Amino acid sequence: AVFLSACGGSTDSGSDDTGGTDGTDGGGTEEEVVVDTGPAHILLEGDNQATRLEYDSEADQIIVENIPFDDEVFESRLDRTASRDESAYRAYSSKRGFDDYTAYTRETDSGAVSVVVVNSGEYKDHGYSGAAYTRTGTTTLPTENQRAFYEGEYLGTRTSEESGGMDVIVGDAALEADFSDDTIRGSITKRRVTEDGLGVDAGTDITLANTSIDRSSGTFNGSVSQTNDGITSEGTYSGILGGDNADETAGYLLLDRDGTRELGVFTAVER
């Protein structure tokens, strides 16, 4: 079973030192409680998932660990492959022996958040893969009645339970946060297959269901769904808020549909 877990990330939450346990100054005057969150790197955990997945900016490579036939130090490095770039995502690949892995990464213009996903079409039963999102620096989550709308780009990799091959799917990512009750929701729309390895259509929009934002970390975890021909497929998503004032977001999702599995990533900025 594959599950989502926030691991390997460090978070730093601000404390309320105003004197009152209910966010007041002890004398009945309400004060704004500011929550700060620090750098974090959160990796998808589960069977056959990479235990390390990150971008090496100095070497311009993607580092992956815990995939079959990685080298003696349990580390595989994927090289830049510009010919396979998709939308705003940079491609990296490595073919060692019989195994062909492809990774995609994207960082927002500010560098506040980034994502990376790796997958391979060389295996039946989905094989080995990985996904991660990262926040650099700190962010402050709004505490007042405020809504934020985020728009950005999505990239998904899709493999099959029955055969080899891999699809690459791109689309638009849109999310909406309501900081009055700390919730977030979203959707992946305008989906299209750009690399067709399975002969399966992109399917309809993916809905990111309304879920809670954890103020102590600026992260969120929820469910996703997609309905095709009257049949609803379900999965999970996870993400993080970044930027100076939580004005950027990034995350990954996992969706099973008719014997296929889509592992995708998204980044979006406030509009």
Side-chain angles (χ1 to χ4, degrees):
V2 178
F3 55 95
L4 299 178
S5 175
C7 71
S10 63
T11 58
D12 212 3
S13 60
S15 59
D16 172 22
D17 57 2
T18 57
T21 59
D22 58 359
T24 68
D25 63 0
T29 303
E30 185 175 347
E31 299 232 350
E32 180 179 343
V33 179
V34 177
V35 179
D36 291 320
T37 52
H41 180 72
I42 300 180
L43 190 70
L44 172 66
E45 282 192 338
D47 297 339
N48 299 333
Q49 296 296 317
T51 55
R52 181 185 178 196
L53 181 59
E54 57 191 56
Y55 174 61
D56 181 344
S57 59
E58 292 186 2
D60 194 19
Q61 294 176 321
I62 299 294
I63 302 173
V64 189
E65 290 186 4
N66 195 39
I67 57 176
F69 300 103
D70 43 16
D71 65 24
E72 294 178 357
V73 295
F74 308 105
E75 177 184 283
S76 182
R77 285 182 171 263
L78 280 60
D79 298 315
R80 184 76 171 94
T81 314
S83 62
R84 298 187 66 182
D85 285 0
E86 297 286 355
S87 183
Y89 287 83
R90 304 192 310 276
Y92 296 76
S93 62
S94 174
K95 187 170 181 63
R96 300 184 177 219
F98 299 105
D99 300 311
D100 187 2
Y101 288 93
T102 303
Y104 293 91
T105 186
R106 170 162 170 69
E107 181 182 70
T108 55
D109 291 343
S110 72
V113 295
S114 62
V115 290
V116 59
V117 60
V118 63
N119 216 331
S120 174
E122 300 296 317
Y123 297 89
K124 292 183 178 180
D125 198 20
H126 308 300
Y128 300 83
S129 59
Y133 53 81
T134 300
R135 175 178 61 215
T136 59
T138 61
T139 189
T140 300
L141 274 63
T143 57
E144 58 190 25
N145 294 342
Q146 180 176 329
R147 297 169 72 184
F149 299 89
Y150 306 87
E151 295 179 354
E153 296 80 23
Y154 169 82
L155 183 140
T157 59
R158 186 170 60 186
T159 56
S160 172
E161 186 178 62
E162 301 296 331
S163 64
M166 184 180 81
D167 291 341
V168 176
I169 300 170
V170 298
D172 293 346
L175 293 93
E176 177 186 9
D178 183 347
F179 292 106
S180 64
D181 58 6
D182 292 332
T183 57
I184 193 167
R185 61 184 178 181
S187 61
I188 307 297
T189 62
K190 298 182 180 179
R191 292 165 47 81
R192 63 188 189 280
V193 177
T194 57
E195 288 191 22
D196 188 355
L198 302 179
V200 180
D201 63 75
T204 61
D205 297 348
I206 295 177
T207 298
L208 282 59
N210 190 65
T211 193
S212 297
I213 299 169
D214 181 352
R215 276 197 165 268
S216 67
S217 63
T219 60
F220 47 90
N221 298 277
S223 61
V224 302
S225 62
Q226 182 189 57
T227 301
N228 297 281
D229 300 323
I231 300 174
T232 299
S233 304
E234 297 180 341
T236 53
Y237 76 105
S238 179
I240 198 166
L241 295 167
D244 291 339
N245 297 292
D247 45 16
E248 302 187 15
T249 185
Y252 49 67
L253 68 80
L254 191 65
L255 176 73
D256 288 331
R257 169 196 170 197
D258 294 334
T260 67
R261 174 171 296 162
E262 183 171 337
L263 176 59
V265 290
F266 60 86
T267 64
V269 298
E270 188 175 1
R271 301 300 185 191

